[in-house]
Amino acid sequence: MIAAVRSCWLTFDLECSLRRLADGDWIGNKEPATFNPPYKPTPMSPTAGQLVTERFEYDGGRQVTAYVPPAPPEAIVFAGDGQLIASWGGVLEATDLPPTMIIGAHRLDDETLRLHEYSPGESTATFAFDPERFAAHEEFFVEDVRRWAQSRFDVALPADRTAVFGVSASGELALAMGLRHPNIYGTSE
């Protein structure tokens, strides 16, 4: 895992490292030789960094969780589905990678509303997109969450050290945010 994450981090291609961490594909200090789903999750060890969760006024009270590494961060990753992704920071601690902060906006339980927040698009006969809901969530994610991270943790990283990441539907959010805001997110995965 360490070599693969280091390789990904050095190229700032966090997608492969974080996606594989989400899948539980890495156990111990080396990559498995084969790909054998279903995965057995590896319990996370206690972290030296901390998880900080705060509730925002957006949409009736949306939570955001930040993994704050024990040393000042040299990179920051913003993500959807934050209640799942932010805790992966502890795995990064076990490596010799530079400190990386993860900021995750929590998702909705309602999958349809979640897709409306994460997916810009045009309605079709089979699915109706909600451009207003997407725009509101985009403003929350890009403006409010970033502003909170900068003021709460005193971080201001350039786009080449800032990524947006997601898995599953939040991967669509990451792609949309990366394409729409390349001056903010240097990498989108």
Side-chain angles (χ1 to χ4, degrees), residues 1 16-28 30-37 39-42:
M1 175 176 112
C16 67
S17 59
L18 294 177
R19 182 175 297 147
R20 291 180 77 181
L21 288 172
D23 291 342
D25 196 22
W26 289 322
I27 300 172
K30 55 186 174 179
E31 288 187 68
T34 59
F35 177 76
N36 295 315
Y39 303 109
K40 289 178 79 177
T42 304

mmCIF file of all heavy atoms in Angstrom, residues 1 16-28 30-37 39-42:
data_model
loop_
_atom_site.group_PDB
_atom_site.id
_atom_site.type_symbol
_atom_site.label_atom_id
_atom_site.label_comp_id
_atom_site.label_asym_id
_atom_site.label_seq_id
_atom_site.Cartn_x
_atom_site.Cartn_y
_atom_site.Cartn_z
ATOM 1 N N MET A 1 0.819 -1.180 0.000
ATOM 2 C CA MET A 1 0.000 0.000 0.000
ATOM 3 C C MET A 1 0.865 1.247 0.000
ATOM 4 O O MET A 1 0.586 2.191 -0.720
ATOM 5 C CB MET A 1 -0.899 0.012 1.235
ATOM 6 C CG MET A 1 -1.699 1.280 1.354
ATOM 7 S SD MET A 1 -2.821 1.246 2.738
ATOM 8 C CE MET A 1 -2.056 2.471 3.763
ATOM 9 N N CYS A 16 -6.395 6.601 -7.543
ATOM 10 C CA CYS A 16 -6.093 5.180 -7.409
ATOM 11 C C CYS A 16 -5.845 4.814 -5.962
ATOM 12 O O CYS A 16 -6.321 3.785 -5.498
ATOM 13 C CB CYS A 16 -4.947 4.760 -8.314
ATOM 14 S SG CYS A 16 -3.364 5.446 -7.900
ATOM 15 N N SER A 17 -5.168 5.649 -5.200
ATOM 16 C CA SER A 17 -4.911 5.293 -3.808
ATOM 17 C C SER A 17 -6.186 5.323 -2.984
ATOM 18 O O SER A 17 -6.482 4.369 -2.269
ATOM 19 C CB SER A 17 -3.856 6.213 -3.202
ATOM 20 O OG SER A 17 -4.256 7.542 -3.257
ATOM 21 N N LEU A 18 -6.969 6.394 -3.075
ATOM 22 C CA LEU A 18 -8.157 6.483 -2.246
ATOM 23 C C LEU A 18 -9.238 5.502 -2.685
ATOM 24 O O LEU A 18 -9.923 4.933 -1.852
ATOM 25 C CB LEU A 18 -8.685 7.918 -2.235
ATOM 26 C CG LEU A 18 -7.759 8.920 -1.555
ATOM 27 C CD1 LEU A 18 -8.333 10.327 -1.661
ATOM 28 C CD2 LEU A 18 -7.525 8.571 -0.105
ATOM 29 N N ARG A 19 -9.389 5.293 -3.996
ATOM 30 C CA ARG A 19 -10.384 4.331 -4.444
ATOM 31 C C ARG A 19 -10.038 2.936 -3.949
ATOM 32 O O ARG A 19 -10.880 2.203 -3.466
ATOM 33 C CB ARG A 19 -10.517 4.333 -5.958
ATOM 34 C CG ARG A 19 -11.606 3.346 -6.408
ATOM 35 C CD ARG A 19 -11.866 3.404 -7.878
ATOM 36 N NE ARG A 19 -12.358 4.719 -8.206
ATOM 37 C CZ ARG A 19 -12.106 5.327 -9.355
ATOM 38 N NH1 ARG A 19 -11.389 4.741 -10.267
ATOM 39 N NH2 ARG A 19 -12.578 6.522 -9.599
ATOM 40 N N ARG A 20 -8.771 2.566 -4.032
ATOM 41 C CA ARG A 20 -8.379 1.235 -3.577
ATOM 42 C C ARG A 20 -8.484 1.128 -2.064
ATOM 43 O O ARG A 20 -8.816 0.078 -1.539
ATOM 44 C CB ARG A 20 -6.989 0.899 -4.080
ATOM 45 C CG ARG A 20 -7.046 0.722 -5.618
ATOM 46 C CD ARG A 20 -5.738 0.389 -6.187
ATOM 47 N NE ARG A 20 -5.453 -1.014 -5.915
ATOM 48 C CZ ARG A 20 -4.331 -1.606 -6.300
ATOM 49 N NH1 ARG A 20 -3.424 -0.934 -6.946
ATOM 50 N NH2 ARG A 20 -4.134 -2.869 -6.024
ATOM 51 N N LEU A 21 -8.242 2.209 -1.339
ATOM 52 C CA LEU A 21 -8.449 2.188 0.100
ATOM 53 C C LEU A 21 -9.931 1.980 0.402
ATOM 54 O O LEU A 21 -10.292 1.250 1.312
ATOM 55 C CB LEU A 21 -7.963 3.487 0.737
ATOM 56 C CG LEU A 21 -6.463 3.681 0.792
ATOM 57 C CD1 LEU A 21 -6.146 5.091 1.274
ATOM 58 C CD2 LEU A 21 -5.793 2.666 1.671
ATOM 59 N N ALA A 22 -10.791 2.622 -0.364
ATOM 60 C CA ALA A 22 -12.227 2.481 -0.154
ATOM 61 C C ALA A 22 -12.672 1.050 -0.383
ATOM 62 O O ALA A 22 -13.530 0.525 0.313
ATOM 63 C CB ALA A 22 -12.992 3.400 -1.095
ATOM 64 N N ASP A 23 -12.064 0.395 -1.342
ATOM 65 C CA ASP A 23 -12.411 -0.978 -1.647
ATOM 66 C C ASP A 23 -11.782 -1.973 -0.682
ATOM 67 O O ASP A 23 -12.094 -3.144 -0.724
ATOM 68 C CB ASP A 23 -11.955 -1.342 -3.069
ATOM 69 C CG ASP A 23 -12.755 -0.619 -4.131
ATOM 70 O OD1 ASP A 23 -13.853 -0.122 -3.802
ATOM 71 O OD2 ASP A 23 -12.284 -0.549 -5.267
ATOM 72 N N GLY A 24 -10.853 -1.531 0.170
ATOM 73 C CA GLY A 24 -10.166 -2.443 1.071
ATOM 74 C C GLY A 24 -9.180 -3.319 0.338
ATOM 75 O O GLY A 24 -8.840 -4.411 0.783
ATOM 76 N N ASP A 25 -8.709 -2.863 -0.815
ATOM 77 C CA ASP A 25 -7.855 -3.677 -1.674
ATOM 78 C C ASP A 25 -6.442 -3.855 -1.140
ATOM 79 O O ASP A 25 -5.742 -4.761 -1.523
ATOM 80 C CB ASP A 25 -7.814 -3.029 -3.061
ATOM 81 C CG ASP A 25 -7.287 -3.937 -4.142
ATOM 82 O OD1 ASP A 25 -7.327 -5.166 -3.962
ATOM 83 O OD2 ASP A 25 -6.854 -3.408 -5.171
ATOM 84 N N TRP A 26 -5.999 -2.969 -0.252
ATOM 85 C CA TRP A 26 -4.635 -3.061 0.260
ATOM 86 C C TRP A 26 -4.664 -3.494 1.712
ATOM 87 O O TRP A 26 -5.390 -2.953 2.518
ATOM 88 C CB TRP A 26 -3.925 -1.729 0.181
ATOM 89 C CG TRP A 26 -3.582 -1.318 -1.190
ATOM 90 C CD1 TRP A 26 -3.151 -2.116 -2.208
ATOM 91 C CD2 TRP A 26 -3.635 -0.010 -1.727
ATOM 92 N NE1 TRP A 26 -2.937 -1.377 -3.331
ATOM 93 C CE2 TRP A 26 -3.223 -0.069 -3.058
ATOM 94 C CE3 TRP A 26 -3.974 1.219 -1.208
ATOM 95 C CZ2 TRP A 26 -3.141 1.028 -3.869
ATOM 96 C CZ3 TRP A 26 -3.899 2.311 -2.014
ATOM 97 C CH2 TRP A 26 -3.488 2.199 -3.325
ATOM 98 N N ILE A 27 -3.866 -4.440 2.048
ATOM 99 C CA ILE A 27 -3.744 -4.904 3.422
ATOM 100 C C ILE A 27 -2.259 -4.989 3.719
ATOM 101 O O ILE A 27 -1.488 -5.534 2.946
ATOM 102 C CB ILE A 27 -4.416 -6.277 3.617
ATOM 103 C CG1 ILE A 27 -5.903 -6.152 3.276
ATOM 104 C CG2 ILE A 27 -4.197 -6.792 5.019
ATOM 105 C CD1 ILE A 27 -6.632 -7.462 3.237
ATOM 106 N N GLY A 28 -1.847 -4.457 4.862
ATOM 107 C CA GLY A 28 -0.431 -4.497 5.203
ATOM 108 C C GLY A 28 0.355 -3.506 4.375
ATOM 109 O O GLY A 28 -0.136 -2.455 4.001
ATOM 110 N N LYS A 30 2.002 -4.179 1.334
ATOM 111 C CA LYS A 30 2.224 -4.470 -0.074
ATOM 112 C C LYS A 30 0.903 -4.717 -0.771
ATOM 113 O O LYS A 30 -0.082 -5.095 -0.157
ATOM 114 C CB LYS A 30 3.160 -5.659 -0.244
ATOM 115 C CG LYS A 30 2.721 -6.908 0.475
ATOM 116 C CD LYS A 30 3.789 -7.976 0.351
ATOM 117 C CE LYS A 30 3.394 -9.172 1.209
ATOM 118 N NZ LYS A 30 4.337 -10.227 1.134
ATOM 119 N N GLU A 31 0.922 -4.516 -2.065
ATOM 120 C CA GLU A 31 -0.280 -4.733 -2.848
ATOM 121 C C GLU A 31 -0.532 -6.224 -3.014
ATOM 122 O O GLU A 31 0.400 -7.005 -3.116
ATOM 123 C CB GLU A 31 -0.124 -4.125 -4.242
ATOM 124 C CG GLU A 31 -0.172 -2.633 -4.252
ATOM 125 C CD GLU A 31 -0.172 -2.126 -5.662
ATOM 126 O OE1 GLU A 31 -1.161 -2.345 -6.380
ATOM 127 O OE2 GLU A 31 0.838 -1.513 -6.039
ATOM 128 N N PRO A 32 -1.797 -6.635 -3.043
ATOM 129 C CA PRO A 32 -2.070 -8.047 -3.278
ATOM 130 C C PRO A 32 -1.708 -8.420 -4.712
ATOM 131 O O PRO A 32 -1.734 -7.602 -5.612
ATOM 132 C CB PRO A 32 -3.584 -8.156 -3.052
ATOM 133 C CG PRO A 32 -4.095 -6.772 -3.275
ATOM 134 C CD PRO A 32 -2.987 -5.837 -2.876
ATOM 135 N N ALA A 33 -1.371 -9.677 -4.895
ATOM 136 C CA ALA A 33 -0.988 -10.153 -6.218
ATOM 137 C C ALA A 33 -2.214 -10.353 -7.099
ATOM 138 O O ALA A 33 -2.123 -10.317 -8.306
ATOM 139 C CB ALA A 33 -0.212 -11.455 -6.095
ATOM 140 N N THR A 34 -3.349 -10.592 -6.494
ATOM 141 C CA THR A 34 -4.552 -10.851 -7.280
ATOM 142 C C THR A 34 -5.691 -9.968 -6.789
ATOM 143 O O THR A 34 -5.639 -9.407 -5.699
ATOM 144 C CB THR A 34 -4.985 -12.327 -7.160
ATOM 145 O OG1 THR A 34 -5.226 -12.602 -5.778
ATOM 146 C CG2 THR A 34 -3.924 -13.248 -7.717
ATOM 147 N N PHE A 35 -6.706 -9.907 -7.590
ATOM 148 C CA PHE A 35 -7.893 -9.115 -7.306
ATOM 149 C C PHE A 35 -9.003 -10.104 -7.012
ATOM 150 O O PHE A 35 -9.480 -10.783 -7.900
ATOM 151 C CB PHE A 35 -8.183 -8.274 -8.555
ATOM 152 C CG PHE A 35 -9.420 -7.443 -8.442
ATOM 153 C CD1 PHE A 35 -9.428 -6.297 -7.688
ATOM 154 C CD2 PHE A 35 -10.558 -7.797 -9.123
ATOM 155 C CE1 PHE A 35 -10.552 -5.519 -7.605
ATOM 156 C CE2 PHE A 35 -11.694 -7.022 -9.051
ATOM 157 C CZ PHE A 35 -11.685 -5.883 -8.289
ATOM 158 N N ASN A 36 -9.383 -10.242 -5.728
ATOM 159 C CA ASN A 36 -10.340 -11.260 -5.330
ATOM 160 C C ASN A 36 -11.494 -10.690 -4.513
ATOM 161 O O ASN A 36 -11.520 -10.812 -3.303
ATOM 162 C CB ASN A 36 -9.642 -12.342 -4.485
ATOM 163 C CG ASN A 36 -8.629 -13.109 -5.256
ATOM 164 O OD1 ASN A 36 -8.887 -13.503 -6.378
ATOM 165 N ND2 ASN A 36 -7.470 -13.330 -4.666
ATOM 166 N N PRO A 37 -12.468 -10.038 -5.138
ATOM 167 C CA PRO A 37 -13.624 -9.599 -4.360
ATOM 168 C C PRO A 37 -14.421 -10.816 -3.883
ATOM 169 O O PRO A 37 -14.260 -11.876 -4.457
ATOM 170 C CB PRO A 37 -14.432 -8.775 -5.335
ATOM 171 C CG PRO A 37 -13.691 -8.775 -6.611
ATOM 172 C CD PRO A 37 -12.518 -9.657 -6.493
ATOM 173 N N TYR A 39 -14.328 -8.005 -0.727
ATOM 174 C CA TYR A 39 -13.256 -7.583 0.159
ATOM 175 C C TYR A 39 -13.626 -7.784 1.610
ATOM 176 O O TYR A 39 -14.774 -7.720 1.976
ATOM 177 C CB TYR A 39 -12.971 -6.088 -0.047
ATOM 178 C CG TYR A 39 -12.636 -5.742 -1.444
ATOM 179 C CD1 TYR A 39 -13.521 -5.032 -2.220
ATOM 180 C CD2 TYR A 39 -11.440 -6.145 -2.007
ATOM 181 C CE1 TYR A 39 -13.215 -4.697 -3.520
ATOM 182 C CE2 TYR A 39 -11.134 -5.818 -3.304
ATOM 183 C CZ TYR A 39 -12.027 -5.095 -4.051
ATOM 184 O OH TYR A 39 -11.723 -4.769 -5.330
ATOM 185 N N LYS A 40 -12.611 -7.973 2.427
ATOM 186 C CA LYS A 40 -12.776 -7.959 3.870
ATOM 187 C C LYS A 40 -12.199 -6.630 4.347
ATOM 188 O O LYS A 40 -11.013 -6.384 4.155
ATOM 189 C CB LYS A 40 -12.023 -9.113 4.515
ATOM 190 C CG LYS A 40 -12.651 -10.468 4.238
ATOM 191 C CD LYS A 40 -11.845 -11.569 4.853
ATOM 192 C CE LYS A 40 -12.172 -11.629 6.319
ATOM 193 N NZ LYS A 40 -11.473 -12.720 7.000
ATOM 194 N N PRO A 41 -13.009 -5.766 4.924
ATOM 195 C CA PRO A 41 -12.480 -4.480 5.368
ATOM 196 C C PRO A 41 -11.387 -4.669 6.420
ATOM 197 O O PRO A 41 -11.470 -5.542 7.262
ATOM 198 C CB PRO A 41 -13.680 -3.761 5.960
ATOM 199 C CG PRO A 41 -14.859 -4.567 5.624
ATOM 200 C CD PRO A 41 -14.405 -5.926 5.184
ATOM 201 N N THR A 42 -10.379 -3.847 6.333
ATOM 202 C CA THR A 42 -9.313 -3.843 7.317
ATOM 203 C C THR A 42 -9.660 -2.815 8.372
ATOM 204 O O THR A 42 -9.908 -1.662 8.049
ATOM 205 C CB THR A 42 -7.973 -3.460 6.648
ATOM 206 O OG1 THR A 42 -7.730 -4.368 5.585
ATOM 207 C CG2 THR A 42 -6.837 -3.506 7.638
#
